[in-house]
């Protein structure tokens, strides 16, 4: 069980001690490095969207899809960005931990197996008899058993090589593994940057092979949210505006990113952002329903798929993993 008493008390005290007119500090823990898909959050900072909601937001890098969950659950950060499927397992293993998702961002998750055609990877079945590189904390690797079940793969026929995030794509570029698990936009463009010909890269998006899961969402410390509901709604609205601005002007968005990560390749990160928008964020469902929410039927299917590869200690409950109560209802979540 995650112990949250001190953190919860601190958050409550902060909320009580802050004058109504003062800005609310909401440091935001990302899942990964400052790459293209992180640009909308910097746009929201630079364009004053958070400030307009009475919020002061500092964005911090993460170290993987699981990284932000304990940070938010313990109260170290009031909000974060994390894989909702990993959140399900975390809450099952830490019942009562004060964390839940409040805004779906990756309506179609970027979980993928990325391989090289020259190494024999063009379809899921090609993974059998090959070496697959997988970072243990990787969100895509966590869902690989569902992908394997949906595609009829024999996992015993695949040699899994645990790799670190920094060595994942270099190992594939060097031919030390035939494929890796990862986010489609990250692994693909990292390989291109390493000199792998684009026509040699095969991307097996798990969502295209029967995996009904959702992807990354904005998560919140529920104690903080209960004490500061308007701040959470304002945060969501500002994030949506950051994505709207970034979709309308990706060059501007990448400028905001490069200010925080001067070593970034602007052209590559722009493409990474656009890949994320096209494949993961601006889906047909989001175009029809707006950003941030979920489809309850699909979520039920996602839970059933998770049950097929993960043994829940406690009965799974979608209401523990996602709440729509903080989503703004003023039309600000529209994406097009």
């Amino acid at each position: 069980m995650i112990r949250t008493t001190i953190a919860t008390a601190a958050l409550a005290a902060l909320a009580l001690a802050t004058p109504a007119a003062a800005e609310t500090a909401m440091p935001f823990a990302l899942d990964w490095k400052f790459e293209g898909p992180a640009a909308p959050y910097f746009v929201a900072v630079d364009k004053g969207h958070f400030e307009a909601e009475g919020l002061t937001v500092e964005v911090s890098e993460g170290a993987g899809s699981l990284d932000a969950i304990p940070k938010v659950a313990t109260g170290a950060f009031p909000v974060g960005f994390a894989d909702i499927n990993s959140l399900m397992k975390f809450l099952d293993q830490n019942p009562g931990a004060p964390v839940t998702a409040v805004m779906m961002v990756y309506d179609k998750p970027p979980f993928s197996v990325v391989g090289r055609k020259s190494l024999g990877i063009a379809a899921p079945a090609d993974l059998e008899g090959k070496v697959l590189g997988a970072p243990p904390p990787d969100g895509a690797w966590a869902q690989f058993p569902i992908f394997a079940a949906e595609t009829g793969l024999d996992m015993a026929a695949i040699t899994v090589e645990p790799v670190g995030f920094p060595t994942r794509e270099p190992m594939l570029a060097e031919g030390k593994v035939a494929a890796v698990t990862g986010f489609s936009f990250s692994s693909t463009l990292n390989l291109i940057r390493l000199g792998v010909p684009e026509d040699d890269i095969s991307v097996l998006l798990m969502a295209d092979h029967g995996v009904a899961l959702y992807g990354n969402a904005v998560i919140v410390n529920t104690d903080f949210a209960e004490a500061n509901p308007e701040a959470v709604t304002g945060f969501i609205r500002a994030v949506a505006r950051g994505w709207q601005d970034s979709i309308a002007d990706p060059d501007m968005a990448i400028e905001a990113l490069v200010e925080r990560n001067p070593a970034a390749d602007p052209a590559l990160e722009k493409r990474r952002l656009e890949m994320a928008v096209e494949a993961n964020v601006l889906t047909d469902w989001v175009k029809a329903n707006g950003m941030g929410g979920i489809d309850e039927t699909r979520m039920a299917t996602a839970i059933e798929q998770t049950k097929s590869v993960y043994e829940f200690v406690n009965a799974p409950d979608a209401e523990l993993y996602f709440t729509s109560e903080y989503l703004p209802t003023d039309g600000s979540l529209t994406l097009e």
Side-chain angles (χ1 to χ4, degrees):
M1 174 76 72
I2 295 288
R3 295 188 179 276
T4 59
T5 305
I6 296 177
T8 300
L11 287 169
L14 178 62
L16 291 172
T18 303
E23 289 193 344
T24 301
M26 290 187 70
F28 182 45
L30 284 181
D31 61 328
W32 192 234
K33 301 175 183 178
F34 291 170
E35 295 182 340
Y41 310 112
F42 299 125
V43 170
V45 172
D46 292 349
K47 283 189 167 287
H49 297 323
F50 289 123
E51 184 178 5
E53 301 291 345
L55 308 175
T56 300
V57 175
E58 181 177 347
V59 183
S60 298
E61 285 189 343
S65 298
L66 316 178
D67 188 56
I69 299 173
K71 291 178 179 177
V72 173
T74 58
F77 285 79
V79 282
F81 189 58
D83 169 35
I84 195 170
N85 309 288
S86 300
L87 178 64
M88 289 184 196
K89 298 173 184 177
F90 179 87
L91 286 170
D92 183 55
Q93 296 160 12
N94 299 275
V99 56
T100 193
V102 293
M103 179 191 193
M104 187 56 60
V105 177
Y106 292 158
D107 179 64
K108 188 175 182 180
F111 307 137
S112 299
V113 175
V114 180
R116 293 182 61 182
K117 297 173 185 176
S118 61
L119 298 176
I121 305 298
D126 298 331
L127 293 167
E128 294 185 2
K130 303 295 196 308
V131 179
L132 174 69
D138 178 40
W141 167 243
Q143 313 316 327
F144 185 82
I146 298 175
F147 170 75
E150 292 294 324
T151 55
L153 280 174
D154 179 4
M155 287 191 64
I158 303 170
T159 300
V160 179
E161 178 74 22
V163 299
F165 286 119
T167 60
R168 174 176 52 189
E169 287 84 18
M171 288 183 70
L172 181 53
E174 295 167 11
K176 294 180 179 179
V177 297
V180 296
T181 62
F183 279 15
S184 52
F185 46 76
S186 290
S187 290
T188 299
L189 295 180
N190 289 346
L191 288 170
I192 293 172
R193 184 177 58 194
L194 290 168
V196 176
E198 187 166 357
D199 60 6
D200 187 33
I201 300 172
S202 59
V203 179
L204 306 176
L205 194 65
M206 295 184 188
D208 292 337
H209 293 276
V211 178
L213 307 181
Y214 280 98
N216 279 36
V218 173
I219 62 174
V220 68
N221 181 285
T222 54
D223 294 322
F224 177 90
E226 289 172 8
N228 302 274
E230 292 183 2
V232 175
T233 297
F235 184 91
I236 293 171
R237 183 163 37 236
V239 165
R241 287 173 175 159
W243 276 100
Q244 291 161 356
D245 291 341
S246 298
I247 291 170
D249 190 350
D251 288 316
M252 173 275 300
I254 296 306
E255 287 180 9
L257 173 77
V258 172
E259 284 185 14
R260 279 78 176 186
N261 181 9
D265 179 332
L268 184 144
E269 297 307 333
K270 177 184 175 183
R271 188 168 177 203
R272 199 190 308 268
L273 170 62
E274 291 176 333
M275 287 176 67
V277 169
E278 181 179 355
N280 312 115
V281 178
L282 193 55
T283 65
D284 290 341
W285 193 91
V286 168
K287 290 176 184 177
N289 298 279
M291 185 182 194
I294 62 170
D295 177 81
E296 292 182 2
T297 300
R298 178 181 162 192
M299 179 59 110
T301 300
I303 291 174
E304 289 302 311
Q305 286 190 338
T306 302
K307 286 169 63 177
S308 72
V309 295
Y310 172 79
E311 185 175 352
F312 282 89
V313 177
N314 304 287
D317 181 355
E319 293 185 0
L320 295 175
Y321 317 135
F322 184 90
T323 177
S324 61
E325 69 175 296
Y326 299 104
L327 292 175
T329 57
D330 57 1
S332 59
L333 298 177
T334 301
L335 286 190
E336 56 187 27

